[in-house]
Amino acid sequence: MKIFIDTAEVKEIEEINRLGILDGVTTNPSLIAKSKRKFKEVVGEICKIVDGPVSMEVLSTNFDEMLKEAKEYSKIAENIVIKIPLIPEGIRCVNELTNLGIQTNVTLCFSAPQALLAAKVGATYISPFIGRIDDLGYNGMELISEIRSIYDNYNFPTQILAASIRHPLHFKEASLLGANAVTVPYSTLKMIFKHPLTDIGLDKFLEDAKNIIL
Ligand code: E4P
């Protein structure tokens, strides 16, 4: 399973990339705004840090404008993936980008039929937003399972990129259900490392190590 980081903070990306566990990066307009950096500049910098796919979202919602943005952004670096919202004009745009050989990530997916439409037009990735479904009192993880079954039934090559991940349990369940990739915020990646028994065990080893005869 591929691990992506869901952030536009260069320092976070550099730190996680150094660990050797990072396969790619996803950004969205909210994360870019939070970084307080210039849009194309910060994404260009991220593309130089990470070899794998870096998702960059279009800011418009009509076909012509989205296509124009996608063509422009895809020139920033070879590893750019164009993120397109799951609306009719977006699906039309993904169809066109597939024909042009430009990689896409269809975002804001909240149902299995939506995911099926994205696969029909050859999306490279589909991003089901797990945490936001949980927020409404439903089980977001069921969506991963449904999409996995549909894509497997028809051999759709579109990769499931579990998004809106809020805690390590989401990360674990998405991998158990066969998501191809999971995009995880920096704070959640750090949480995965945290286990009280790891900390207690390490403290004890370090204490006992003082008595080792070298
Ligand atoms: C994914 O591509 C999105 O950027 C992200 O995972 C959304 O997460 P949120 O629901 O925590 O904003």
Side-chain angles (χ1 to χ4, degrees):
M1 187 191 61
K2 292 174 193 162
I3 299 176
F4 295 173
I5 188 168
D6 198 28
T7 185
E9 297 299 330
V10 167
K11 281 208 168 87
E12 294 180 354
I13 296 166
E14 284 173 336
E15 181 187 325
I16 300 300
N17 193 42
R18 274 196 292 272
L19 305 180
I21 60 170
L22 196 63
D23 296 299
V25 178
T26 55
T27 67
N28 63 35
S30 309
L31 293 170
I32 296 284
K34 199 172 143 207
S35 79
K36 297 193 172 20
R37 298 273 314 273
K38 283 189 178 169
F39 188 22
K40 288 177 247 175
E41 189 183 285
V42 69
V43 176
E45 201 176 320
I46 293 169
C47 287
K48 286 191 186 125
I49 301 167
V50 181
D51 294 331
V54 174
S55 288
M56 175 183 198
E57 190 160 339
V58 294
L59 304 179
S60 44
T61 53
N62 72 73
F63 173 77
D64 290 328
E65 285 299 313
M66 281 191 279
L67 190 61
K68 194 173 148 210
E69 278 188 73
K71 285 179 177 171
E72 185 194 336
Y73 300 161
S74 65
K75 289 185 195 134
I76 292 177
E78 278 191 359
N79 49 341
I80 283 285
V81 173
I82 306 298
K83 216 167 170 187
I84 306 273
L86 214 159
I87 55 175
E89 293 279 279
I91 290 296
R92 183 179 161 207
C93 186
V94 173
N95 189 41
E96 188 71 22
L97 294 173
T98 302
N99 293 334
L100 293 171
I102 294 174
Q103 298 211 84
T104 52
N105 172 357
V106 176
T107 188
L108 293 168
C109 173
F110 294 94
S111 79
Q114 287 182 325
L116 178 51
L117 298 184
K120 283 291 285 182
V121 290
T124 315
Y125 299 95
I126 182 71
S127 288
F129 276 35
I130 304 311
R132 292 192 196 184
I133 296 174
D134 286 1
D135 291 345
L136 295 183
Y138 297 95
N139 182 358
M141 213 43 78
E142 278 173 11
L143 180 55
I144 299 291
S145 170
E146 289 173 357
I147 301 173
R148 183 72 282 153
S149 299
I150 292 169
Y151 283 7
D152 289 350
N153 283 348
Y154 300 100
N155 289 324
F156 283 123
T158 299
Q159 296 179 52
I160 303 171
L161 170 47
S164 188
I165 295 293
R166 302 275 162 80
H167 45 68
L169 188 58
H170 276 157
F171 180 84
K172 181 181 90 170
E173 289 183 340
S175 57
L176 285 171
L177 291 170
N180 303 90
V182 175
T183 188
V184 191
Y186 173 83
S187 55
T188 308
L189 281 169
K190 298 290 274 191
M191 264 188 242
I192 293 169
F193 279 99
K194 273 279 162 210
H195 196 290
L197 291 179
T198 304
D199 296 341
I200 292 166
L202 183 60
D203 284 349
K204 173 83 173 112
F205 284 154
L206 292 176
E207 193 51 38
D208 291 345
K210 290 177 188 160
N211 301 319
I212 290 177
I213 302 158
L214 295 171

